[in-house]
Amino acid sequence: MRLRTPLLQIALAFSVAAPAAAQEADPIAALLDQPPPAQAQAADPETADALAAEPPLAPEPTPPPAYIPPLAQPELTAPTFVDDTGRSPEAAPSPVELSYEARLRSSSASAQGLQGPLDGAWTLREGEGTALYSLQMVDSGLTPPEGAWRDPRRRGSTDSSGFLSTVQRIGGELIVTFHPRPGAGAATLVLNAAADGSWTGRLEEGGERRAVVLRRD
């Protein structure tokens, strides 16, 4: 259809150009008419393909724990049992351990030097033979000694040990009494000090007298 008058042509051109001029005058309206960035990126096929082909970021690897070498163990050529004296599955003691043990022994010797001559463990034997009794005495040097006895010939028996009844030291003579069996009479030791630190004498027990020697363990 052909417009017959110039006036109508001008009016139509003005109506078409008016929205564009209004958008230039109103920048907010122009921004609203633009597509969002996400849509613009999605509309670009090359950008979408690049984003899809890009691999995801891998997490940073955790560093392995620090290596701690195992302690060196001594090589055993034969098994070692708890009742083997003088043998140990452990390594030789270090100089620090040896020094510490030496100080302990020195302190123990100093403390022992303050005790009386009877303090400690003793074994009563018939001459040089069978062990008759084991004696453990406490001698502070200030009070009368005390102690206990044990019969190694009756191990496991409930009446194979007990306390010493009396311990008397008169000069160089030692007299000890105890009851080795319930309901039986007392056993009496009469001993004299020897030059080597032992005590020699007799044991009177059950109406029998025998020569004995008392030596420190």
Side-chain angles (χ1 to χ4, degrees), residues 137-163:
M137 289 187 282
V138 178
D139 185 6
S140 64
L142 302 175
T143 59
E146 299 177 346
W149 62 271
R150 183 176 63 86
D151 189 347
R153 299 164 296 177
R154 296 186 290 141
R155 295 181 182 274
S157 177
T158 57
D159 58 352
S160 62
S161 61
F163 293 102

Side-chain angles (χ1 to χ4, degrees), residues 11 31 41 61 73 110 123 132 136 154 162 188 206 208:
L31 292 175
Q41 293 178 2
Q73 298 293 334
S110 298
T123 299
L132 301 177
Q136 181 73 38
R154 296 186 290 141
T188 303
E208 182 182 356

Side-chain angles (χ1 to χ4, degrees), residues 1-216:
M1 174 179 161
R2 179 178 297 178
L3 297 176
R4 296 181 181 276
T5 62
L7 181 60
L8 292 176
Q9 295 178 357
I10 296 172
L12 182 59
F14 179 80
S15 63
V16 173
Q23 290 179 358
E24 293 178 358
D26 189 358
I28 297 178
L31 292 175
L32 293 176
D33 292 339
Q34 295 179 0
Q39 293 179 358
Q41 293 178 2
D44 188 356
E46 296 182 358
T47 305
D49 294 341
L51 292 176
E54 183 179 357
L57 296 177
E60 296 183 359
T62 303
Y67 173 74
I68 301 177
L71 296 177
Q73 298 293 334
E75 183 178 357
L76 299 179
T77 58
T80 300
F81 302 96
V82 295
D83 56 347
D84 289 343
T85 59
R87 300 182 61 188
S88 174
E90 300 179 356
S94 64
V96 176
E97 294 173 339
L98 292 175
S99 177
Y100 178 72
E101 183 179 358
R103 290 198 303 269
L104 287 180
R105 291 181 180 275
S106 177
S107 299
S108 177
S110 298
Q112 186 66 32
L114 299 176
Q115 305 298 321
L118 295 177
D119 191 83
W122 301 79
T123 299
L124 182 69
R125 297 181 180 276
E126 185 176 8
E128 299 295 334
T130 306
L132 301 177
Y133 293 100
S134 298
L135 304 182
Q136 181 73 38
M137 289 187 282
V138 178
D139 185 6
S140 64
L142 302 175
T143 59
E146 299 177 346
W149 62 271
R150 183 176 63 86
D151 189 347
R153 299 164 296 177
R154 296 186 290 141
R155 295 181 182 274
S157 177
T158 57
D159 58 352
S160 62
S161 61
F163 293 102
L164 300 178
S165 301
T166 59
V167 181
Q168 299 179 357
R169 189 175 52 216
I170 305 173
E173 187 176 59
L174 177 65
I175 301 175
V176 180
T177 60
F178 59 99
H179 293 78
R181 296 181 182 275
T188 303
L189 274 172
V190 181
L191 305 172
N192 294 280
D196 60 354
S198 63
W199 298 77
T200 59
R202 65 183 186 275
L203 169 64
E204 298 178 0
E205 180 183 8
E208 182 182 356
R209 176 181 296 184
R210 65 182 74 178
V212 293
V213 177
L214 183 66
R215 285 193 174 89
R216 187 183 297 275

